[in-house]
Amino acid sequence: MVQTLSSDEAVSLALGTDYYDGGRFRELHVHNWTADNALLPGIWNGAMSGINLANNVLAIFNDDEGESAAPMRAMRAYFYFILIDNFGAAPLIVSKVDQIPERTSRAEICQFIESELLAVRERLPVAVSAATYGKATRHMADALLAKLYLNWAVYTASDVATYNPAMTNEKLNEVVAFCDEIIQSGQFNLSSHRFLEKFRPDNGPQIKDFIFAMPYDREKQQGMTYARFWIHRSGQNQFAPLPQSVGGTLRVLPTFLDKFNLPGDERNASYMGGLQYYWSDYAPDLSRPFLIRTSKRGIDQDYTGADADEVFNWHMETTKEIQLRPDGGPTLNAGNDQKGRSMGYRSVKFYMDVNVTAANQRSQSNDVPIFRYADVLLMKAEAILRGAAPTQGQTPQSLINEIRTYVKAPNLTQQPTLTDVLDERAREFADESWRRNDLIRFGVFEQDWGFKSLYTAGYSENFRRIFPIPRPVMEVNTNWTQNNGY
């Protein structure tokens, strides 16, 4: 939510007084978050827990150069990537410590991540199978290196607020080199499954687009709850039913939805809106790109007519535009009636398993991809456009057209611009937590979208390209200095 709501993808509305939650969601959208934002500690604490766990395992091995240590070091590097991407400088901890360490600069941590991945990549698994799914492999390390190098100028700038995309990135050829390592491995492709099939609850090692993913299971590996915030608030009983509110607060911003405009593009179905019909004799349509089962307790749950069990074409409309209540600005309140619940199209990319029960606590079985083969192709295309030397006879146009072909979108007929790449990334990686990262690298994170005008200073507060260290963390580490601007 932190990555998505601080970008131009989506907004989380308050429904009356529901889901205002002290402004944690509103702050992300209008770019006026503080160190007290209640969502930020989860990122910091999660990454630091991963680092500490990796260090504990490495201490048990007592051999950082051994083959078994390589995945731990790669994962530790990944968690440090999360820290510097979100918070800038971070404490560099590679063993158990007895005192509170100082924070190491973002640039130095960036170089540490690079050195760690280069040191261990040759000792990481190369084979791709169910046994390596969700684990650190050489391909995961190469994808992380490519992502690190693509953002190198961002992460090594003397001050995050002074970064601009015209700055020299000395690592662009390395982006291409590590993308080529993955491409030439022959282990990954785009065509094993149709676009939305990749994100269903039954996804897993069979998805050849996934280089590194976080596995989830609604019973055994819980915690993935993307759909609860996107589902229409009145759709709670579409499931078994869900034990608590589905939320229904996230809505795609109309300007972002407009990017899904290519004729025939299967990615256009990532968002659902407009007239929503209900048929009491509904049967699955196997020609659809993904399947959603419904029931008589679904969208018509409030209908009490005598003909409730007959076939009828009752419908509601989910509107593209989002309009706040007259006094809704301070809380982003759209109202908790059917009108307010129905504003804004919804992401169905990670649609929930309809078999989820109360015992599952709204947890989904959809695995979440972190690095995908499609990302490798687009990172290579972007690096070449920014000045890297082309390789393997591939051009930005041909690389984007590989993606366009598999989603059945029209191929590019001329060389793309960087803006074209950014728009392609929007269509391909919506709801996958990369949009904030992309907007900062492209220098457009401070632009206007949605309801950001409610806090106009956010247009010029470039220090918000990183978040503040959460207040609870600062209270423990009293020798630290808060990030500039906060």
Side-chain angles (χ1 to χ4, degrees), residues 261-331:
N261 59 0
L262 301 178
D265 191 342
E266 291 189 347
R267 297 170 299 188
N268 295 344
S270 298
Y271 293 99
M272 183 172 69
L275 295 177
Q276 303 299 307
Y277 290 90
Y278 171 86
W279 293 272
S280 60
D281 63 343
Y282 174 84
D285 180 358
L286 298 180
S287 68
R288 296 180 68 187
F290 63 99
L291 302 178
I292 298 177
R293 290 214 322 255
T294 188
S295 71
K296 293 180 180 179
R297 297 185 65 196
I299 199 77
D300 72 325
Q301 62 177 313
D302 298 322
Y303 183 80
T304 58
D307 60 346
D309 290 327
E310 299 176 8
V311 177
F312 63 104
N313 65 353
W314 180 91
H315 72 264
M316 64 175 295
E317 184 172 6
T318 302
T319 61
K320 175 183 173 183
E321 299 301 324
I322 304 167
Q323 183 177 358
L324 302 179
R325 293 299 160 99
D327 58 348
T331 61

Side-chain angles (χ1 to χ4, degrees), residues 42 59 68 70 79 92 156 160 168 191 195 247 252 406 440 446 449 462 483:
S68 57
F79 289 122
L92 183 56
T156 59
V160 64
T168 300
S191 58
F195 182 72
V252 63
Y406 101 91
I440 292 170
E446 290 76 37
W449 57 72
N462 294 354
N483 288 337

